[in-house]
């Protein structure tokens, strides 16, 4: 029997999303110490090493040395823009096109004007990449926030923290670290991105799985 896999909709319309409570995340500064286990602060994107994870063995026979990790990396601009109350993004490294979140409940969000001040972004999903790490480096020196959780498929909303950056440096994420995209504190954010070319993605949907959105503060 042929199985049909439905591609996830990464650009949901606000009126299709349920009204749910919001769990506000703690906001902490992204420093080498606070990012331990999550990733690293990036000063020079050209020198940042992107970890590539070897393809796992399917049984007791090991994957041959010097194989299974040769896919390399891909790179491109991760471009974010607030359109009214909606945060949209495109990852040109992998051809991704997303709605990252909203500044209010999505059912109330306007695409023509900002109805609320942007104190926070309501995040509806997260994912991790088992095949490799990922880097975001700001092209404009403006503050941004990235919500993260440590590896593990039994992740819960309470495991997430929002990491704040002033825009002078970037962020590198280890493989398997939960994240979504970059949440700019300004209207537009552009980030140079580099990541594993395979781009495997394991996802969680917060309204569907946990009955909530995550509120990522945008202002310190």
């Amino acid at each position: 029997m042929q199985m049909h896999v439905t591609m996830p909709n990464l650009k949901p319309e606000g009126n299709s999303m349920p009204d749910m409570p919001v769990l506000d995340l703690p906001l902490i500064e992204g420093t080498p110490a606070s990012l331990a286990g999550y990733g690293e602060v990036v000063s020079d994107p050209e020198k940042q090493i992107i970890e590539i994870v070897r393809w796992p063995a399917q049984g007791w026979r090991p994957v041959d040395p010097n194989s299974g990790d040769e896919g390399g990396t891909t790179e491109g601009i991760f471009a974010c823009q607030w359109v009214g109350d909606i945060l949209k993004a495109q990852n040109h490294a992998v051809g991704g096109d997303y709605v990252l979140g909203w500044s209010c409940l999505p059912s109330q969000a306007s695409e023509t004007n900002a109805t609320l001040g942007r104190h926070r972004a309501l995040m509806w999903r997260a994912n991790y990449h088992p095949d490799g790490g990922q880097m975001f480096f700001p092209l404009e020196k403006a503050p941004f926030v990235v919500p993260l959780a440590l590896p593990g498929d039994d992740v819960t909303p309470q495991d997430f923290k929002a990491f704040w950056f002033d825009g002078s440096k970037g962020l590198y994420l280890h493989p398997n670290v939960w994240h979504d995209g970059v949440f700019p504190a300004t209207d537009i954010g552009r980030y140079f991105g580099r990541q594993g070319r395979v781009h495997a993605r394991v996802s969680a949907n917060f309204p569907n799985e946990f009955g909530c959105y995550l509120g990522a503060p945008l202002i310190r």
Side-chain angles (χ1 to χ4, degrees), residues 14-28:
N15 57 17
S16 72
M17 301 295 290
D19 288 345
M20 294 282 184
V22 177
L23 175 67
D24 285 309
L25 301 180
L27 183 66
I28 59 178

Side-chain angles (χ1 to χ4, degrees), residues 3-14:
M3 293 183 63
H4 297 278
V5 179
T6 303
M7 294 291 292
N9 177 16
L10 303 182
K11 296 175 62 179
E13 296 287 339

Side-chain angles (χ1 to χ4, degrees), residues 123-185:
M123 173 179 167
W124 67 280
R125 66 179 295 274
N127 68 95
Y128 67 81
H129 306 305
D131 60 284
Q134 185 170 12
M135 179 185 70
F136 302 99
F137 193 86
L139 297 179
E140 292 88 20
K141 296 186 182 301
F144 63 94
V145 171
V146 183
L148 304 174
L150 292 171
D153 277 8
D154 293 327
V155 71
T156 69
Q158 290 76 15
D159 295 323
F160 280 82
K161 300 175 182 177
F163 289 84
W164 181 90
F165 300 85
D166 66 6
S168 63
K169 296 181 180 179
L171 168 65
Y172 171 71
L173 300 177
H174 294 310
N176 301 310
V177 170
W178 287 96
H179 64 285
D180 192 8
V182 182
F183 293 173

Side-chain angles (χ1 to χ4, degrees), residues 173-210:
L173 300 177
H174 294 310
N176 301 310
V177 170
W178 287 96
H179 64 285
D180 192 8
V182 182
F183 293 173
T186 50
D187 287 346
I188 294 174
R190 297 188 311 130
Y191 310 88
F192 173 67
R194 184 180 290 131
Q195 64 189 98
R197 185 180 295 274
V198 173
H199 188 230
R201 193 177 62 228
V202 179
S203 299
N205 182 309
F206 299 114
N208 286 355
E209 295 185 41
F210 303 105

